[in-house]
Amino acid sequence: MTSILHMLRGLVTLRWITGKNAGRNAVIAVPSLFLAAAFLVPFLIVLRISLSDMDTAGSPFGGLLSYVDGIVVLKVKIANYLFIAADELYLLTYLSSLKYAAITTAICLFIGYPFAYFMARARPSIRPVLMMLVMLPFWTSFLLRVYAWKGILANHGLLNDLLIALGVIQEPLHMMNTSFSLVVGMVYAYLPFMILPLYANLVKMDMRYLEAAADLGATPLQAFWRITVPLSKSGIIAGAMLVFIPSVGEYVIPELLGGPETLMIGRVLWDEYFTNNDWAMASSVTVLVVLLILVPMAIFNKYKTDQDAGERT
């Protein structure tokens, strides 16, 4: 989305293409135009459908523009947005999606930071092996990995059978189709997206800061909280965005591992599109989800801009 905004900003004047750096700008324009075609244009189409009647959604302008007696009439339907604002189900679904995305992000940070720290401080010869272990799950289908957790967390699954065999429990624990199974599945799926940016940030940290802190009498824990954590703040924010944003709209994991009490916005979108066949309402929900996701992205972009400006000064 940031690249699209840069592209639109640059295309305002023709000089951006024909100026002194025309070659460099033209190279930048190619991926920017691709991003616009792949993301901005589909979003505008969804926005048009959300403002149209269902029976006119398939027309070129979705019934938004009409020509009557020499007059161009713009008709925008906001009833879907008003219905979403008044319906408690959608509000609770949005809040539920934000809650589970925030929990997933916090747990991924709690698990991923020590792992990324260990990777960054490991010998350079074994870092590629550790990196491969982090990326190894991506070699397997995402759907198969989620299905594997169904076999692990089922009432007679691998985990319950192991606990019963060890004498820890007497009866199987109900873990499937609960908030627990949902969070476990989401943490497992998105943990690498937290580890990788943290590792990329920590591995570049200048160790002389820690040596200076030790010379000034700081304990290892004090040096960690006052030097390592602040210097890795950009990696923390980047990892949090990479986990939080897709977690908000997640559909597969809530559908396979979640239960009735773990309703998230992705499942609501599926029902609106394919069960109720109400594309206008589903598009309205989609637009609100995108706007909801843009807020943390804007915060992250502002933070990076301020950080870059501080480093230049």
Side-chain angles (χ1 to χ4, degrees), residues 114-171:
F115 196 92
Y117 186 87
F118 171 75
M119 290 175 58
R121 299 295 175 263
R123 296 195 308 272
S125 59
I126 67 172
R127 287 176 188 171
V129 177
L130 297 175
M131 180 73 71
M132 185 191 68
L133 293 176
V134 174
M135 302 179 64
L136 194 61
F138 293 110
W139 298 4
T140 308
S141 170
F142 174 77
L143 191 60
L144 291 178
R145 287 186 280 127
V146 175
Y147 264 111
W149 278 105
K150 292 175 68 72
I152 295 173
L153 300 176
N155 289 344
H156 296 284
L158 180 64
L159 183 57
N160 271 315
D161 290 345
L162 178 62
L163 293 176
I164 292 175
L166 295 175
V168 178
I169 58 176
Q170 302 300 321
E171 297 181 356

Side-chain angles (χ1 to χ4, degrees), residues 262-276:
T262 59
L263 186 63
M264 294 182 64
I265 199 64
R267 297 176 65 183
V268 173
L269 282 174
W270 176 274
D271 291 337
E272 292 290 355
Y273 270 115
F274 300 105
T275 302
N276 300 334

Side-chain angles (χ1 to χ4, degrees), residues 32-292:
S32 299
L33 289 173
F34 170 78
L35 291 174
F39 298 102
L40 182 60
V41 173
F43 174 75
L44 294 177
I45 294 174
V46 172
L47 178 62
R48 175 187 64 78
I49 296 175
S50 71
L51 299 173
S52 308
D53 291 317
M54 185 59 192
D55 53 353
T56 60
S59 60
F61 293 99
L64 298 181
L65 293 178
S66 60
Y67 183 78
V68 181
D69 297 331
I71 301 175
V72 177
V73 180
L74 174 63
K75 183 175 66 174
V76 176
K77 179 182 177 182
I78 62 172
N80 293 326
Y81 292 98
L82 296 177
F83 180 80
I84 293 174
D87 194 331
E88 186 178 357
L89 172 64
Y90 290 101
L91 176 61
L92 293 177
T93 304
Y94 278 114
L95 293 178
S96 177
S97 300
L98 292 175
K99 179 184 73 173
Y100 286 114
I103 293 174
T104 301
T105 303
I107 297 176
C108 284
L109 178 60
F110 180 77
I111 299 175
Y113 198 101
F115 196 92
Y117 186 87
F118 171 75
M119 290 175 58
R121 299 295 175 263
R123 296 195 308 272
S125 59
I126 67 172
R127 287 176 188 171
V129 177
L130 297 175
M131 180 73 71
M132 185 191 68
L133 293 176
V134 174
M135 302 179 64
L136 194 61
F138 293 110
W139 298 4
T140 308
S141 170
F142 174 77
L143 191 60
L144 291 178
R145 287 186 280 127
V146 175
Y147 264 111
W149 278 105
K150 292 175 68 72
I152 295 173
L153 300 176
N155 289 344
H156 296 284
L158 180 64
L159 183 57
N160 271 315
D161 290 345
L162 178 62
L163 293 176
I164 292 175
L166 295 175
V168 178
I169 58 176
Q170 302 300 321
E171 297 181 356
L173 298 175
H174 178 64
M175 294 179 286
M176 270 299 301
N177 303 122
T178 63
S179 300
F180 173 76
S181 59
L182 173 64
V183 172
V184 167
M186 293 181 67
V187 169
Y188 170 76
Y190 292 111
L191 183 58
F193 295 100
M194 178 66 74
I195 293 176
L196 293 177
L198 282 173
Y199 167 75
N201 183 270
L202 289 170
V203 76
K204 296 184 296 183
M205 194 179 76
D206 193 343
M207 299 301 295
R208 291 177 295 180
Y209 289 116
L210 298 179
E211 296 175 0
D215 292 339
L216 293 174
T219 64
L221 184 60
Q222 290 175 330
F224 175 77
W225 282 111
R226 296 186 179 184
I227 296 177
T228 303
V229 172
L231 289 178
S232 62
K233 189 181 297 183
S234 60
I236 293 174
I237 296 177
M241 293 299 101
L242 288 175
V243 174
F244 181 84
I245 291 174
S247 295
V248 171
E250 179 60 49
Y251 166 73
V252 174
I253 297 175
E255 179 68 19
L256 297 179
L257 301 180
E261 73 279 5
T262 59
L263 186 63
M264 294 182 64
I265 199 64
R267 297 176 65 183
V268 173
L269 282 174
W270 176 274
D271 291 337
E272 292 290 355
Y273 270 115
F274 300 105
T275 302
N276 300 334
N277 200 28
D278 190 348
W279 284 34
M281 177 59 71
S283 298
S284 301
V285 177
T286 303
V287 170
L288 292 178
V289 171
V290 172
L291 295 178
L292 186 68

